[in-house]
Amino acid sequence: MPIYRIAIGTPRDASHPDAIRAALAEFFSMLIFVFAGEGSGMAFSKIPKLSYCFILILDKCLSLISLNLVHNSPYLSLILFIFTRQVKMVISKTEFVDFFVCFLDKLTDNGSTTPAGLVAASLAHAFALFVAVSVGANISGGHVNPAVTFGAFIGGNITLLRGILYWIAQLLGSVVACLLLKFATGGLETSAFSLSSGVSPWNAVVFEIVMTFGLVYTVYATAVDPKKGNVGTIAPIAIGFIVGANILAGGAFDGASMNPAVSFGPAVVSWTWTHQWVYWLGPLIGAAIAAIVYDNIFIGNNAHEPLPNNDF
Amino acid sequence: MPIYRIAIGTPRDASHPDAIRAALAEFFSMLIFVFAGEGSGMAFSKIPKLSYCFILILDKCLSLISLNLVHNSPYLSLILFIFTRQVKMVISKTEFVDFFVCFLDKLTDNGSTTPAGLVAASLAHAFALFVAVSVGANISGGHVNPAVTFGAFIGGNITLLRGILYWIAQLLGSVVACLLLKFATGGLETSAFSLSSGVSPWNAVVFEIVMTFGLVYTVYATAVDPKKGNVGTIAPIAIGFIVGANILAGGAFDGASMNPAVSFGPAVVSWTWTHQWVYWLGPLIGAAIAAIVYDNIFIGNNAHEPLPNNDF
Amino acid sequence: MPIYRIAIGTPRDASHPDAIRAALAEFFSMLIFVFAGEGSGMAFSKIPKLSYCFILILDKCLSLISLNLVHNSPYLSLILFIFTRQVKMVISKTEFVDFFVCFLDKLTDNGSTTPAGLVAASLAHAFALFVAVSVGANISGGHVNPAVTFGAFIGGNITLLRGILYWIAQLLGSVVACLLLKFATGGLETSAFSLSSGVSPWNAVVFEIVMTFGLVYTVYATAVDPKKGNVGTIAPIAIGFIVGANILAGGAFDGASMNPAVSFGPAVVSWTWTHQWVYWLGPLIGAAIAAIVYDNIFIGNNAHEPLPNNDF
Amino acid sequence: MPIYRIAIGTPRDASHPDAIRAALAEFFSMLIFVFAGEGSGMAFSKIPKLSYCFILILDKCLSLISLNLVHNSPYLSLILFIFTRQVKMVISKTEFVDFFVCFLDKLTDNGSTTPAGLVAASLAHAFALFVAVSVGANISGGHVNPAVTFGAFIGGNITLLRGILYWIAQLLGSVVACLLLKFATGGLETSAFSLSSGVSPWNAVVFEIVMTFGLVYTVYATAVDPKKGNVGTIAPIAIGFIVGANILAGGAFDGASMNPAVSFGPAVVSWTWTHQWVYWLGPLIGAAIAAIVYDNIFIGNNAHEPLPNNDF
């Protein structure tokens, strides 16, 4: 029933000062969100690699042993000397060092695939998205996500032209946030989203579809639905926290973007486009399904009345 | 006093479009909740085992040493050669490797029994359940839990037939979420709930009873109680967060389900039914106690007036 | 000005059904809070000690080496044999093992003094207290803390007799929660609060005073103050989260109780009374200061009007 | 358009009892916030250094080996004896120990630059600031930050004289909190904010500008904007959580202060003024930009009406 609600809008509609103002609000919300979210990812890559530190220790240690050799019995010194030479030769083999570096970096909990790293990423995105939605809620609706804007368009809640304006503002906000991060960190790489080993692009598409379905379903139920009532007060928290929860599930597999703009900014600044399509196709499909499902089943029937004996 | 409120309902009642719509809302809420909750558990098992990585290093290291042997004094080389053979023989013994693997996996913080792992599980469930309750609140009441539905039935807030409809929707939602996870992760195991070593099934039943009592007591106090007032606005947050808090307490002992549907989905998909009864018996008893206690003591007395000089 | 508000109350007042009901609400709130909070502390001590695991590995490893000795050259075997004997002798010295155990347990992040452990304790208490305050808010005011009840008494918001009723319910709730935990975990110790090394009892008293001041000041500003307005809706969250924040600060020094009942329950069940007075004196002083300060400065002046040009 | 709104105020205005009361509220809010935030940082430096523990083990271990030497064959004992002497000599070299200490402290996850440490710092600040804003909201507006007061002044929401009163109260609150922490911890150092290696002062200024822009933009959108509506209820949560999110991004680079008072207190108590100007210049610039942008674009146009077909 809602399909007739899809609207193109008029150019005048999209150039109205309020539309410009709404697009600006999307820009600033996205900037705030991506700066914290992407920045938290870069913070962990900033932590000095333990492996590097360890190799320095080992080298130092072996040199000191060698220096002491002359003060001891020649024969036993020789054993130690040969042993240290052996170790040094082994260390100089690249293959071994690669394994070892991987081992030590795992040990020190740095990556985003350890529980602590995933918790940090989850909280940074949950908190920042909650805030970004809150600050934009009264001006632009607080989409802060091209997939949400697409879902709103599918459900007939925004015109096509204004939606395109939103998309431009959102993508610009993400790129500017990444440029500011690159500058503020003295040139650190803004790492683009990527798939973990063993995760195929189509696996990732399914992940993004289901997770974005959950996000846009939440947007509809807590913010769009006219029957939302009290739940509307905590809508921005719900929208931020479902992203936080999904990152704990999907973050170790495909980065859990649920948001084409979030993966677009780092891709532009680091100019890495591998699998970028995954982070557009999945979220847009998931958003469309959520919009159609929610709009038809739960909003569509205007005659709907709350169940009388079901009071919570 | 509320026992007469228990109602069977009529078949027409349960086949009303609103009842179907409510069941669909339960289905989607449960799907969103279990996808994030169970997914976060699977994310940590996905992290490549450090132990495997370490054994590769050791093997590589020993091979390189062997290769270098010929370039040194034959006698000392022999010592090293024999030493490495010894180590290799030890490593090939299964018993030793089992111990070692256990040791290394502990060291790298992967399991759900370390503080960081428990925090991640707690946040994933707290955030996702809060959202699942929010999105269902206005349509189905946002039970998202067969035990809550049972508690609502005991307190006379839902009819038997509609409760069965909810149960079916909830269990289906959990199974579909686990199937989607299995597909999206390329076939990873959806790990069923299990008891930690040293925890008997009856210990776990007590855990589930007390934790589910807390959950359903919270549902009654913040969402069902007609005197809930302002607290009703934050009810979904409270319901999600008590589950998060209880997971930090019970998660290391029995997985802290508090929800038969949450343990049913993974059990179906991985077809593991050990101790499944624990995760039904405990929550249902806890929910019934909470419903009876809250309904009789705090709702039953309709003449209740707030205490005059107790204003917070 | 508020001192005249302190009231004894009449026995009839304290035996009124509403007073009994309020005390029952305090009992259940405290039970839910302590079960999750203390349970999360016990969960980490449950995690099998890595040190134990490691010593088993070492022993296994040395035995296997010994077994293999006969198959190799006698002389070199002898060297290895003597080395393993040396290691075994060293390991059997208690002093060494104590150091080693301490080292390994640190390494595996178990205690409550690592960042991940403190985060888990902080979230368990923040989430559970928020819920416990929410569920009690409309019935008893949701004190869930003898210090808060004392602060309410000092500010004239509860009579002496009813306050004593609350204290009894709160202390009982904490003890019952600890007994349930002891039973559900198959007899694990409910660890009492204690001071870290280098923290004197008087240091801890200062900690408890300042932290409980913050907590009771928050209770007054968000729940008691008649001018609280919108902030009242999120009062339970604020009350739970200030405890969570303070645990991250004080947890590593004195356990950060801020609540005599929370330290009373584990002390009764484990019958450990060392420094128990610290967890009564500090919180009660802090609560009294907060009640007097807030009541006199911010509530006392009834003629207070919001500043006209200061709208946030 | 808002520039004419900037106001000096009259001395009588700033000495009004309500102004004094508001300044006192700022003092207590800041005290509660800094005590938890700075205290959580000090908690992790309190954790006994693993490196110290390990060196004790090693020493003990070597001594025990030496003692056992006489009971074995003299020749092989000699080898072991010389080896242990070698290790001891190496350990006594300062350079090596420094590396090793750094390595072990990394391994045990103590610093604030590991994911778990950053999560703890983020939650302590997010929770405590949320509470500090809540408790001050109805009395002083809950600035709890000289940069927010400056932003409010730029937007014409507070007079110059009253703003100075707020600044004095905020800075005093921070200093008193740090003094209390120093006393309660038995004299631990209140660590001042500092830049990580590789971060130039100007990089940090950019970080502080962008992060404080996000914070003050949030304050304007959720608390100052007359069109804030429902979002106003959760404003203190949003204000606290954007700081939490930004700490996860900027904490590893420059400590993520966003608040001159937060960096002023520890600097006074530890008397460390390196880079102090960074934590004043950045936040004040960021706050001014946010105030001007939000006030002009989103509040300035009083004729603004919500977009008709954009209902979320």
Side-chain angles (χ1 to χ4, degrees), chain D residues 212-283:
Chain D
T212 314
F213 171 84
L215 168 60
V216 176
Y217 188 93
T218 304
V219 169
Y220 263 86
T222 62
V224 178
D225 192 330
K227 298 181 303 299
K228 62 180 180 276
N230 263 347
V231 171
T233 306
I234 52 172
I237 311 184
I239 294 167
F241 282 19
I242 188 61
V243 167
N246 279 338
I247 287 175
L248 287 171
F253 297 96
D254 77 338
S257 167
M258 294 163 271
N259 191 331
V262 162
S263 35
F264 181 76
V268 167
V269 174
S270 68
W271 212 252
T272 325
W273 298 97
T274 326
H275 300 313
Q276 177 71 200
W277 63 273
V278 166
Y279 301 103
W280 284 81
L281 185 65

Side-chain angles (χ1 to χ4, degrees), chain D residues 40-312:
Chain D
S40 78
M42 294 168 69
F44 302 136
S45 67
K46 154 84 186 162
I47 304 175
K49 292 283 178 229
L50 177 59
S51 47
Y52 173 74
C53 167
F54 187 77
I55 286 174
L56 284 182
I57 294 175
L58 207 50
D59 193 61
K60 185 72 53 181
C61 176
L62 296 176
S63 308
L64 289 171
I65 288 175
S66 305
L67 282 176
N68 291 326
L69 281 179
V70 284
H71 311 302
N72 294 298
S73 87
Y75 180 70
L76 294 165
S77 292
L78 196 60
I79 300 184
L80 287 165
F81 174 73
I82 289 171
F83 180 73
T84 63
R85 255 196 57 195
Q86 293 278 7
V87 172
K88 275 200 159 170
M89 285 171 73
V90 166
I91 282 176
S92 64
K93 306 278 175 184
T94 326
E95 224 175 331
F96 168 75
V97 170
D98 280 358
F99 268 117
F100 204 67
V101 162
C102 137
F103 169 71
L104 284 169
D105 289 347
K106 270 262 159 292
L107 204 64
T108 45
D109 221 30
N110 289 344
S112 68
T113 46
T114 59
L118 274 175
V119 166
S122 163
L123 291 179
H125 285 86
F127 287 5
L129 180 58
F130 150 42
V131 172
V133 170
S134 295
V135 299
N138 293 306
I139 305 164
S140 65
H143 294 194
V144 207
N145 187 341
V148 169
T149 302
F150 184 68
F153 167 70
I154 292 288
N157 295 293
I158 193 170
T159 64
L160 179 64
L161 289 177
R162 192 167 285 172
I164 291 172
L165 205 63
Y166 273 38
W167 274 38
I168 295 169
Q170 288 157 353
L171 296 177
L172 267 180
S174 178
V175 171
V176 170
C178 290
L179 287 174
L180 282 170
L181 274 172
K182 188 167 189 151
F183 181 74
T185 59
L188 280 193
E189 196 191 351
T190 53
S191 54
F193 279 75
S194 62
L195 310 180
S196 301
S197 67
V199 177
S200 80
W202 290 103
N203 285 344
V205 167
V206 174
F207 249 115
E208 294 293 324
I209 289 175
V210 180
M211 293 190 298
T212 314
F213 171 84
L215 168 60
V216 176
Y217 188 93
T218 304
V219 169
Y220 263 86
T222 62
V224 178
D225 192 330
K227 298 181 303 299
K228 62 180 180 276
N230 263 347
V231 171
T233 306
I234 52 172
I237 311 184
I239 294 167
F241 282 19
I242 188 61
V243 167
N246 279 338
I247 287 175
L248 287 171
F253 297 96
D254 77 338
S257 167
M258 294 163 271
N259 191 331
V262 162
S263 35
F264 181 76
V268 167
V269 174
S270 68
W271 212 252
T272 325
W273 298 97
T274 326
H275 300 313
Q276 177 71 200
W277 63 273
V278 166
Y279 301 103
W280 284 81
L281 185 65
L284 294 183
I285 293 176
I289 297 175
I292 292 167
V293 162
Y294 200 94
D295 205 43
N296 277 288
I297 301 182
F298 302 116
I299 301 187
N301 182 357
N302 292 317
H304 173 79
E305 295 290 326
L307 298 180
N309 66 344
N310 179 29
D311 56 5
F312 71 104

Side-chain angles (χ1 to χ4, degrees), chain A residues 71-128:
Chain A
H71 309 303
N72 295 299
S73 87
Y75 182 71
L76 294 165
S77 292
L78 195 59
I79 300 183
L80 286 165
F81 174 72
I82 290 171
F83 180 72
T84 62
R85 255 194 59 192
Q86 294 277 7
V87 171
K88 275 198 159 172
M89 286 170 74
V90 166
I91 282 177
S92 63
K93 306 277 175 185
T94 325
E95 223 175 333
F96 168 75
V97 170
D98 279 359
F99 269 116
F100 204 67
V101 162
C102 140
F103 170 72
L104 283 169
D105 289 348
K106 269 263 161 292
L107 204 65
T108 44
D109 222 31
N110 289 344
S112 67
T113 48
T114 59
L118 274 175
V119 166
S122 162
L123 291 179
H125 285 87
F127 288 5

Side-chain angles (χ1 to χ4, degrees), chain C residues 19 26 31 47 51 63-64 71 91 104 116 137 140 159 165 168 186 191 205 207 216 242 269 275 282 292 308:
Chain C
E26 284 294 311
L31 193 157
I47 304 173
S51 46
S63 307
L64 290 171
H71 311 302
I91 282 176
L104 283 169
S140 67
T159 64
L165 205 63
I168 294 169
S191 54
V205 168
F207 249 115
V216 175
I242 188 62
V269 174
H275 300 314
I292 292 167

